[in-house]
Amino acid sequence: RRRRALRLGAAAAAVLVLLTSAFGFAGRSQVYDGVRDVAALSPDADAILDADSQAGDRNVLVLGLQADRTGAAESARTDTAVLVHQPAGGGPAVTLSIPATLEVSRPPCRSWDAATGGYGPTVPAESRIAFATAYDVGGPACSVGVAQQLTGIPVTGFVALDLARAPELVGAVGGIEVCTERPVVDPVLGPVVEGAGAVALDGPTAVRFASASGTADSSPANRIQRQQRVLAAALGDALSTGGLLTPGAPGRAADGVSAALAADGVDAGEILTLARGLGRAGTAGDGSTPVFLPVPVADAPNTRGHLELRRSEARELFGALREHEPLPASATAPAARSAATPAPGTVVDLVDATGRPGAVDRFAADLRERGYEIGTVTPGPVATGAQVRYSPDRTDAAGTLVDALPGVRPAPDPTGTGTLALVVGAGDAGPVQAVATDGTDCS
C-alpha cells in the first residue's frame, strides 16, 4: 500500500507539472499573440547600401509614439526613434538615436490609416520635413523607409510603443515598479517623480513618467530609457511565471499588449529583450549594454525648427556600421556636443503659461544653475505646451536651450529681433515620490 501511495503521488505530481506547463505555455502564447502585426519592412529597398556586408545583421527600428499629454492632439506622433544595430558576427550592439525633429527628405509613401492599420494611395515625396512626420503620413512602412534612406541600413524588425495606450498595458498587469536614477520634472507635466530609486506607477502615471522631458532629466537617452523601462516592466510582469499562471491574467495582458504594441518581424520575447537592453543602454559602462549614439546633427535648429544632419560625420558613422568597422571618434564622444553650455551672458525671458503664480520659479533656478541669466518673468495665457520662442538672430542660443530641454518645441519668430523666451506650460498632476537611495544604480 505504501508503494502504491508513492506511485500515485508521483503520478499526481507529474500530471500537475504537465498541466502547469501546458497552462503556462498557453498563457505565453496568448501574450505573444497580443502583439499587433503591422506591415513595415522592406529590406530589399533600393536605399540599402553595401548589402552584402550587412547580410545577417539585425537592425530593429523602435519608435515611441507620443501620448496626447495635454489633452490636445500632438502635431507629430513619433516622440523617440532608435535603430538597434546588432552585427551578424556578434560584435557590440549599437543604439542609434534619431531625433524626431531631424530634417529629412521623405520618399513616396502609401498613406496610413491608424484606425485600421491599413495602407492607401501613395503620397508624393516631400523634402525638408521632420522625421517624426513620416509616421503620421505613411505609418510604420514610411518610418522604416525614411530610416533606410537616411542610413543605408536594412531594417529587419520594427516595434512601436504607443504611449497613449500604455495605461491599458500597465493596468493589465496591476501596475509596475521601475527605477530612476534622477528626479523627473517636465515643463508641461510638472514634477513627475521626486527623488531617485524604485517607484511604483499606475497606468496614467507611467505615461507621464515615459513622456516627461524636462530640466532635471535633459539627456535624450534618458527619455528613451524611461519609455523602455515602462515597457520592460509591464511586459516582464505579463510573461513572468506568476503572470502566466494566474487565471485570467494572460488574457488581460494580451489585451494590454495589443493596445500598446505593434511590430513586424519581432515577437514579444525579443521586444522584452530589446526593452531591457534599451532601458540600460549606456548605464553599465562595461560593454554589457548597447552603445548609445545620437545621429550627428547641428547644434541649433534651423528656421523651420528642424535639426540638420552633419552630413560628413553621419556618412562616416553609417558607413562604419554597415561595414562593421570601428566607430569614428566623432561618434564615440557625443557628450561634448550635447552638453553645450550657453554663451556667457545669455539671457532667457520666462513666460508663465501655467496659470499658477510662482510655478516657473524652479525652472528659473535650474536655468541659472546651467549658466543662464533670467530676464523678464511675465504671465501669459494658459498654454498646454512648452516652447522656446526665438528670433533669427538668437538661433544659436535657442538651439543650446532646446538641447537642454528635450521635448520643448522650438518656435521660430522670423519677424522678431533679440527674442529668446521659454514659455512654461501648465502641469496636470502631482509628483510621485520615489524611494530615495544614495548613488542610485538602475543598471
Side-chain angles (χ1 to χ4, degrees), residues 163 165-178 192-193 199-210 230 233-234 429-432:
L163 296 175
R165 306 295 298 276
E168 297 170 57
L169 173 59
V170 173
V173 296
I176 58 174
E177 182 178 279
V178 297
V192 178
V193 174
V199 57
L201 304 175
D202 60 13
T205 311
V207 173
R208 296 176 65 235
F209 177 81
V230 167
V432 174

Side-chain angles (χ1 to χ4, degrees), residues 162-244:
D162 189 347
L163 296 175
R165 306 295 298 276
E168 297 170 57
L169 173 59
V170 173
V173 296
I176 58 174
E177 182 178 279
V178 297
C179 180
T180 178
E181 296 88 347
R182 59 192 66 82
V184 180
V185 179
D186 183 275
V188 176
L189 302 174
V192 178
V193 174
E194 293 181 340
V199 57
L201 304 175
D202 60 13
T205 311
V207 173
R208 296 176 65 235
F209 177 81
S211 302
S213 54
T215 57
D217 195 12
S218 59
S219 167
N222 292 340
R223 191 160 77 260
I224 294 168
Q225 286 179 352
R226 282 187 275 106
Q227 291 175 3
Q228 296 302 315
R229 285 175 184 177
V230 167
L231 174 56
L235 194 54
D237 285 352
L239 291 173
S240 68
T241 300
L244 294 177

Side-chain angles (χ1 to χ4, degrees), residues 72-418:
E74 300 286 354
S75 57
R77 290 222 61 209
T78 300
D79 179 48
T80 58
V82 292
L83 183 62
V84 182
H85 170 72
Q86 297 172 308
V94 173
T95 297
L96 193 63
S97 173
I98 304 173
T101 57
L102 176 67
E103 185 163 283
V104 297
S105 293
R106 176 178 51 73
C109 292
R110 295 179 63 190
S111 61
W112 163 254
D113 186 336
T116 64
Y119 293 93
T122 299
V123 179
E126 187 175 359
S127 60
R128 297 182 175 182
I129 63 166
F131 175 84
T133 64
Y135 188 90
D136 301 291
V137 172
C142 196
S143 295
V144 166
V146 172
Q148 292 184 154
Q149 181 173 270
L150 174 69
T151 63
I153 294 173
V155 175
T156 59
F158 172 85
V159 180
L161 169 63
D162 189 347
L163 296 175
R165 306 295 298 276
E168 297 170 57
L169 173 59
V170 173
V173 296
I176 58 174
E177 182 178 279
V178 297
C179 180
T180 178
E181 296 88 347
R182 59 192 66 82
V184 180
V185 179
D186 183 275
V188 176
L189 302 174
V192 178
V193 174
E194 293 181 340
V199 57
L201 304 175
D202 60 13
T205 311
V207 173
R208 296 176 65 235
F209 177 81
S211 302
S213 54
T215 57
D217 195 12
S218 59
S219 167
N222 292 340
R223 191 160 77 260
I224 294 168
Q225 286 179 352
R226 282 187 275 106
Q227 291 175 3
Q228 296 302 315
R229 285 175 184 177
V230 167
L231 174 56
L235 194 54
D237 285 352
L239 291 173
S240 68
T241 300
L244 294 177
L245 296 182
T246 299
R252 292 190 296 271
D255 291 341
V257 166
S258 181
L261 283 174
D264 189 2
V266 188
D267 64 21
E270 187 178 1
I271 293 173
L272 178 57
T273 300
L274 285 166
R276 285 174 171 166
L278 289 171
R280 301 176 63 235
T283 60
D286 58 4
S288 65
T289 61
V291 177
F292 185 92
L293 297 178
V295 168
V297 294
D299 293 328
N302 57 26
T303 56
R304 291 177 292 277
H306 302 158
L307 293 171
E308 295 184 1
L309 195 68
R310 293 179 183 266
R311 296 192 179 278
S312 60
E313 294 178 28
R315 196 160 38 242
E316 191 178 8
L317 172 59
F318 300 153
L321 293 175
R322 294 194 302 264
E323 297 287 349
H324 306 155
E325 295 176 349
L327 297 173
S330 60
T332 54
R337 285 201 307 269
S338 62
T341 56
T346 300
V347 178
V348 179
D349 296 328
L350 293 177
V351 179
D352 186 348
T354 66
R356 304 188 308 275
V360 300
D361 290 350
R362 67 175 182 275
F363 297 102
D366 185 86
L367 290 174
R368 288 191 183 98
E369 289 180 4
R370 294 172 182 269
Y372 289 96
E373 296 181 13
I374 303 301
T376 62
V377 180
T378 57
V382 175
T384 54
Q387 295 181 340
V388 171
R389 295 177 183 166
Y390 63 97
S391 53
D393 58 318
R394 305 303 307 277
T395 296
D396 289 345
T400 304
L401 182 57
V402 169
D403 197 38
L405 305 173
V408 175
R409 293 187 179 88
D413 177 8
T415 63
T417 58

